[in-house]
Amino acid sequence: KGRWKVDFSSGFFILVGSEEFLGKTYYWKNFDRKADQNADPSLDSTSRKIVATDRGSRLQLGIGGLAHLYKTGEGKYRPGISMGVSTSSEFKDLNFHVGPSLLIGNPDRLIVSVGLTLKSSSILDRQLQEGVYYAEHYSPDEIPTVPKFPLAGGFVSITYNLTKFKSE
């Protein structure tokens, strides 16, 4: 009682943040004279522009684990500090998390945490711009993106205690 302890947990994460933080997906959209009547007259059917897919949400789901530092004591509720990592559905990047948490239960624990997330996201290469028309034969078929780290956002997680360290 009254000592500091570290527990580990794994579970689900919800990441929140800007569109840049969550990551954009790009595609080419061919020029359509009917849809863009005010466009430059020199544009033709071989012109195309980069368009970002509409995410429709400012949330991203993930799965991961956290380490929780807290003071031992009586009762079922204990505040703590958490840090850890998660990954999203593509399993290609790690998201780094830190923030306060509430440990619920004894000895099995459900942990609710919130805080700061730092992650890497793909952004459009500086040589290209969204919404600008390019001639098809001068533009690459694969839209070039580069990773940008760190981008800051937030997280909420619900995790369950995996391992408990017991002192004898």
Side-chain angles (χ1 to χ4, degrees):
K1 183 175 176 178
R3 294 182 300 171
W4 288 97
K5 187 173 178 182
V6 175
D7 275 352
F8 297 91
S9 66
S10 64
F12 298 98
F13 291 72
I14 298 173
L15 305 180
V16 295
S18 68
E19 192 172 28
E20 184 181 46
F21 170 77
L22 295 174
K24 290 183 176 182
T25 303
Y26 300 99
Y27 66 94
W28 288 109
K29 183 175 182 181
N30 292 329
F31 176 68
D32 180 3
R33 177 75 57 197
K34 291 178 184 176
D36 198 354
Q37 296 176 357
N38 298 328
D40 183 340
S42 67
L43 296 174
D44 61 18
S45 63
T46 64
S47 300
R48 59 188 184 172
K49 66 181 175 180
I50 296 172
V51 178
T53 304
D54 182 15
R55 290 185 60 85
S57 174
R58 295 268 188 215
L59 303 176
Q60 187 175 45
L61 297 177
I63 188 167
L66 295 169
H68 310 278
L69 177 66
Y70 65 97
K71 246 183 172 178
T72 60
E74 298 294 323
K76 291 191 176 212
Y77 302 98
R78 281 179 290 299
I81 297 172
S82 299
M83 62 181 137
V85 296
S86 72
T87 188
S88 58
S89 60
E90 296 174 359
F91 295 103
K92 67 177 184 174
D93 288 319
L94 289 178
N95 311 311
F96 301 95
H97 308 287
V98 64
S101 58
L102 180 63
L103 293 84
I104 305 164
N106 192 12
D108 296 325
R109 294 179 182 88
L110 180 72
I111 300 118
V112 178
S113 305
V114 298
L116 173 70
T117 297
L118 296 177
K119 69 177 280 208
S120 174
S121 284
S122 294
I123 60 170
L124 191 60
D125 186 287
R126 288 190 218 182
Q127 310 255 335
L128 299 171
Q129 295 177 352
E130 251 183 272
V132 174
Y133 283 101
Y134 297 94
E136 186 174 0
H137 60 278
Y138 289 122
S139 54
D141 286 334
E142 186 77 25
I143 298 173
T145 59
V146 294
K148 183 176 180 182
F149 181 84
L151 290 169
F155 81 97
V156 175
S157 71
I158 297 176
T159 58
Y160 190 75
N161 184 227
L162 260 187
T163 305
K164 295 177 276 289
F165 293 110
K166 294 183 180 180
S167 58
E168 300 288 327

